[in-house]
Amino acid sequence: LTSDELFAHIVTTDELLVATGDQGWLTGMLDVEAALARAEAAVGVIPAGAAEAISAACRPDGFDAAEIGRAARGGGNPVIPLVARLTDAVPSEARDYVHWGATSQDILDTAAVLVARRAGGLIAADLERLAASCAALAERHRATVMTGRTLLQPALPITFGLKAAGWLAAVTDCRHALDAALSGLAAQLGGAAGTLASFGPDGPAVLAAFASELGLPEPVMPWHSSRQRMAALAGALGMAAGTASKISGDIALLMQQEVREAAEPAGPGRGASSTLPQKRNPVGAAAVGAAARRAIALVGLFYEGLAGEHERHLVSWPVEWQSLGDLLALAGGAVARTAETVEGLEVDAGVMAQRTEDLAGALLSERLNLVLAGRMGRSAARTAVTEAGRKAGDTDAAAFAEALLSDPDVAAVLTRAEADDLLDPTGYLGANDVWIDRALARHNAADGL
Amino acid sequence: LTSDELFAHIVTTDELLVATGDQGWLTGMLDVEAALARAEAAVGVIPAGAAEAISAACRPDGFDAAEIGRAARGGGNPVIPLVARLTDAVPSEARDYVHWGATSQDILDTAAVLVARRAGGLIAADLERLAASCAALAERHRATVMTGRTLLQPALPITFGLKAAGWLAAVTDCRHALDAALSGLAAQLGGAAGTLASFGPDGPAVLAAFASELGLPEPVMPWHSSRQRMAALAGALGMAAGTASKISGDIALLMQQEVREAAEPAGPGRGASSTLPQKRNPVGAAAVGAAARRAIALVGLFYEGLAGEHERHLVSWPVEWQSLGDLLALAGGAVARTAETVEGLEVDAGVMAQRTEDLAGALLSERLNLVLAGRMGRSAARTAVTEAGRKAGDTDAAAFAEALLSDPDVAAVLTRAEADDLLDPTGYLGANDVWIDRALARHNAADGL
Amino acid sequence: LTSDELFAHIVTTDELLVATGDQGWLTGMLDVEAALARAEAAVGVIPAGAAEAISAACRPDGFDAAEIGRAARGGGNPVIPLVARLTDAVPSEARDYVHWGATSQDILDTAAVLVARRAGGLIAADLERLAASCAALAERHRATVMTGRTLLQPALPITFGLKAAGWLAAVTDCRHALDAALSGLAAQLGGAAGTLASFGPDGPAVLAAFASELGLPEPVMPWHSSRQRMAALAGALGMAAGTASKISGDIALLMQQEVREAAEPAGPGRGASSTLPQKRNPVGAAAVGAAARRAIALVGLFYEGLAGEHERHLVSWPVEWQSLGDLLALAGGAVARTAETVEGLEVDAGVMAQRTEDLAGALLSERLNLVLAGRMGRSAARTAVTEAGRKAGDTDAAAFAEALLSDPDVAAVLTRAEADDLLDPTGYLGANDVWIDRALARHNAADGL
Amino acid sequence: LTSDELFAHIVTTDELLVATGDQGWLTGMLDVEAALARAEAAVGVIPAGAAEAISAACRPDGFDAAEIGRAARGGGNPVIPLVARLTDAVPSEARDYVHWGATSQDILDTAAVLVARRAGGLIAADLERLAASCAALAERHRATVMTGRTLLQPALPITFGLKAAGWLAAVTDCRHALDAALSGLAAQLGGAAGTLASFGPDGPAVLAAFASELGLPEPVMPWHSSRQRMAALAGALGMAAGTASKISGDIALLMQQEVREAAEPAGPGRGASSTLPQKRNPVGAAAVGAAARRAIALVGLFYEGLAGEHERHLVSWPVEWQSLGDLLALAGGAVARTAETVEGLEVDAGVMAQRTEDLAGALLSERLNLVLAGRMGRSAARTAVTEAGRKAGDTDAAAFAEALLSDPDVAAVLTRAEADDLLDPTGYLGANDVWIDRALARHNAADGL
């Protein structure tokens, strides 16, 4: 709601706050009224002079969002007072043509589309930045061996490049989804009940001209009570937010003092504590995670909002207004801050390598298991390997090899040299490079988005 | 987020916007820092003079929320820059004692409690207003017969007073729930990990003095990572929002042109359309329903937020900040606007009575069914009444009586005079007055809340 | 959860319950284990004979879902006991090759894809049925004039065909969205940490063969911790559910006794009440609305689930299992029951026409307003029309014409014959036919989906 | 939905599945019909013999939930077919008195209350178990020093007992909340529109007798369209689920291989992986977290469900049925499994102590900071301590003392012996014991719940 400066900058960017706040909406609504007038003049519905006068008056600096917002309480939406102010602002001969034939929802819906496309452009650019950073990490660290972890426990060796490639693939999905959702956002013009009756036979031509003025696609028919476009957009934004949260969450876990394999970028005041001088908090992950969770809580409103009454929804429609702005600002904020984190990410390849060595016994036990299965049978192999693991604990290659070879049945089929070789993490990375290459290729192919 | 004046006034009140926005939080945080200093002085942890100087500096007009908010991005919360500004603002001999022994979360959590109690007080007052209006309607309309509707279809006669009593009982529940949740909000003081270690043995005494300074209950132990209080508050606010939505939604349905039994208060610009001169929209219901749905979408964040990491939650905690403000403003806005609607509600008792007469055949068929069941057996009675209903359609008493008595089996056990009497809606209101009296009595008993 | 027969049939279909319940999942998991074995044999990783034996054993009737489910508690997923049972079920020489190189998540994720595609096929077919019914109504009722309603109040005349075309356009959106989401569901195979290390260099070839065996697309890389596909599917299902809810909700509102313009199909026991013999409840709308709201509450879980830990998510992954089944069954149930309702919809064109005539004064006031604006100026026209509306109330053409022409300024520029003509609803339908034709054309173009 | 045995046992218990599934609901509905008949006989509304016969027939084994469920589709709720079957099951002279004067919602709502109280009793018992285990850990480990972590980073020393006391305080909150919500669940009896009109003046007496038969509180008035009780219950269950998730999540983090300070209980098959012999997964935390997140997604449905139409809600009411069962089963499952985990928790006090020593420099820097602030001024102290931290890294007491004392300004005011003493974690636990005692005392006082 209004006046949240204390917290807003933590979760989003100035550009998004402007694009999704009063300024963004006011500009959007005025751009729509101007385009409507010009379209009507083009089709011959109103005089060209009136359209010029209206278009000229549609400049945000002539309007006071707070005053209009207060006046909106009576009629339930800000278009009513905006049209009154705009009518006052044009020369008398143009007055009768302001907002001609449109309904409040035509203006607000199309303004919402403009807000979404402008903020969406910022988000798309930040997704691109994030993708580029992930791609760079995937490339640079394709041979940086680290511990792969499933269910928060060490599993197999991977590379940090593979982890980054996974992030990249996810971000590329988000770029495609956002692009599709934004492209689907069509102009809205239907008049009071969707028939454009006040234009007589000219309705469809006015809609076409109006959409063209704004560079928006034309819908099959007005969508006042068909909000599928908005739900799809909300879904795409939820996907971007959740993906940002995944990446920043992984980094926070890697940044734990007990893990220390990567860290958010340092800098003056970054991650400082109000009491503990030594502390470095993963504040990026906190901010991103919080923005994402709040964004995702809003996504459901748009799916619920598909249901509503007849030719215009009583409740679902006003639910969308601030929810859309907040969702754009929060999802976009999550993406932007994650991009910032990944760009400056501190990766400690030494710690990664050391831990992989320290845990080689555990991380490679699948491999030993498979090799021994071929020599002793699967069940005997599993028993032997599990038993060695139990004896040696989470331990390095040497200790594990020793424990394993202390079993005479194993020693009968496996030499120590073989064991040492099999326990080298860099030799058990499977399709690591293939996946990285494929993720990079798809990223490169997405460059045109 | 920031700068939403265009829409905020539609869904909430100025008082709530102030109480839950930057002003409310800044005041809250400064009140907390001041109380902390005074409490520490009282226990002898810091010099009395320092406490006085700090307390004197804790005035919101000396601080710039926007500037602090921007500075908060690095450390992830606004307390860090606020403490820096506050430290600069006190005389040098007091500087070392600002924020002494506290952690950022102590300040923000206790400020959240203050924000919640202040905004909560406004909401409680509006719930009272709403309850009083419902009570007045329940009393005034206890004999105003209308059509009771279940699953959007006419069922039995009720009175409008009974409907209002149902609203009243629901609002009374909300008052109790909100009161309990607000009372449970305790002061927060634990220091960097909850032990108050920096106070040595004085920790508990400082906490007690701090809570007492602020007029807040003392917790059993610090609740940095135990957010049950916040979840309970969110639940109570969700209940208030949902209840407001129920009431305003009933009114919107009664206001349909085809029903017209009640209407939101009229007035200049209220419910006006931007294109249709004749139209009167239920804009109150639209605003309340939208505020309520948005509020309820936020409730879940607080239950999810119970889960989090160790001694301070990484993501759940920052999720709370703006969500709490928004939830208070939205739920409170829904209640306030519903109170306004109910206070000025236009009730058309004539239309209610007329419709009940027009539908008497349908509305009283249960009664006929029961009486005939006693005379013909349940199954035969049901068949006869259903058949009469099918013949007569949704119709008035006379036509229905005729249709029913055209069945010779019915005519054998029921006279026309009896039928006419049984088809009088005012004679089939059951416990109507008992329920109204009970709801009013409970409302009166809640006056002390 | 288990054993909900009492309620499940109200909200969904038998086919969906089978496809998304134990039978569907068990079949899915076994199909995946079989395809894995065959793929591995094709690449030469395991002997062809073993693959045949495993494939032959993968028949659901040999496995007890309840027993496996109970055994799943220890390891946390049903694949572990399923693999144990399957291993027991194959000849000893094939035992070592069961589940070779796969991890539990490979099996469960690919089974989830199969469950989703099979249930999704049922839903797609029901969306088609629903679209076809909407299209038929749009065509049949393109000239059936009715009252268009915005914010639950009469606005302008529309046709019932236009309303149905709006539903059709929305359902067509859902078909495209579901088709895209289902097509995106790829096979999952990555082994314990996504590298397919146990296959050595053969990993990518095994994945390709595996995907091909199942007729599924191959992913760029394993997606164990990249759940974008699942979120997109959830979004598409939420869109289908919400759209069904919109349509069935419109019908429930039209079915109100006070409106009676359309009704859910009648039939033995349909909409019966346990006490009121005359009553006909919109039970379809109740069931659809409830299924949709429950479905949409689940959608958020999939967006939240994008966040999770490292190479396999601890909590987000198990959240998906039953949520996916429930979401498919609920969204699909909502669509299926809406299709049933729309197919048998009772449309009362007479009541629609009568109401439009009764309200012609209100419904056509925009038109009068526009015509008079051209003759008297916009502001004078608005005043005159509003005043006439106030005098005449919601009323028919004649009364409104009279009220309007009693204003001498109006009478000076408008004849009674003109007024009568302008107040004919059938003459003010604007682009009605154009929109219907466009929605039908897009529907026809979607036939290949 | 139906037939989810494969997954249900992972997230909940057999007792809860029975109590919240078909068996629980069928028993509940029949108990309600029986109590209704007995109450009506007690008030003299129906013959005593009929009541006895009806009561005798109300045994679940005579009814087939699946058959009733299928028959429920037409009328939209299972009470209609259940009443038909029950009517067939009683002697002919009692038939007319079955379900006398009640509406379907009376039966289903009161059955829901019985289901909730029975399942709620199981959950309350598991909360007690969980509380007792937490209390035992708090007592036993009150001196087990460990690393306190905020925002996933080491902060100050705490004890494991304090952590357990925090869990205990949270669980005690849940016990109070659940107790209050369950106590508030009242009997439902209002007849077709809430007036109990079919009982004439006897309505309130029948309600009183009915409530008393079932041992339930009597409501102020029927609550068919006032669902505050249900929302409050949902909130309490969400709180229990979220709290369980907090506890099990903390354990999963402590169980990370890199932390290893505590672990879920081991045992045959517990935490096993399908491929990795050495692995021990935190499967309890996975199951609890998943159950909790799914439970919390359902909570919002009950707050949304407060809004609905007139005297009975079209959509909100059927939303409640399976959602309530699922919510009880999931929240209860989360609590039960967390109790199991905490009861068998493996605590490694040695690792905790070792890590605290290893990090003593960091963990005690606040203390050094405070002491030096008193001697050098706050700002100089902060600089010195931060600098020492930078030099020494996350390190033990000796290295940190050395780094610190290498600063001559520090060495001037602090001796090495003092530094060593100040760097002892056991000496900086503040109110640790006070909080533990207070949490235990409140737990003991809650024993009567």
Side-chain angles (χ1 to χ4, degrees), chain D residues 239-268:
Chain D
M239 189 183 287
T243 302
S245 181
K246 156 68 184 170
I247 296 171
S248 69
D250 273 2
I251 292 168
L253 288 171
L254 293 175
M255 191 171 165
Q256 289 175 98
Q257 193 282 333
E258 299 85 353
V259 180
R260 285 284 150 97
E261 299 185 1
E264 296 192 356

Side-chain angles (χ1 to χ4, degrees), chain B residues 41 71 89 116 130 148 157 168 212 242 264 285-286 330 337 346 361 363 402 422:
Chain B
L130 175 54
L168 174 62
S212 155
E264 296 192 354
L330 290 167
R337 183 128 191 189
E346 296 178 12
L363 295 174
E402 219 154 293
L422 289 168

Side-chain angles (χ1 to χ4, degrees), chain D residues 303-355:
Chain D
Y303 287 94
E304 277 185 72
L306 292 166
E309 300 83 4
H310 297 313
E311 281 62 66
R312 187 171 314 161
H313 299 179
L314 182 66
V315 165
S316 305
W317 180 46
V319 162
E320 286 183 8
W321 307 333
Q322 286 176 302
S323 303
L324 177 64
D326 282 359
L327 179 47
L328 287 160
L330 290 167
V335 171
R337 183 128 191 190
T338 304
E340 210 178 284
T341 296
V342 175
E343 278 168 357
L345 193 71
E346 296 178 10
V347 179
D348 196 327
V351 172
M352 289 176 178
Q354 185 61 50
R355 176 158 293 111

Side-chain angles (χ1 to χ4, degrees), chain A residues 109-123:
Chain A
D109 278 356
T110 311
V113 165
L114 294 181
V115 166
R117 288 172 75 109
R118 288 163 187 173
L122 298 171
I123 301 172

Side-chain angles (χ1 to χ4, degrees), chain B residues 108-110 112-113 116 185 223 226-237 299 302-303 306 320 324 327, chain D residues 239:
Chain B
L108 259 177
D109 277 356
T110 311
V113 165
L185 295 175
W223 47 282
S226 298
R227 314 304 290 177
Q228 286 70 22
R229 285 164 180 87
M230 286 294 172
L233 175 64
L237 293 168
V299 171
F302 291 82
Y303 286 94
L306 292 166
E320 286 183 8
L324 177 65
L327 178 47
Chain D
M239 189 183 287

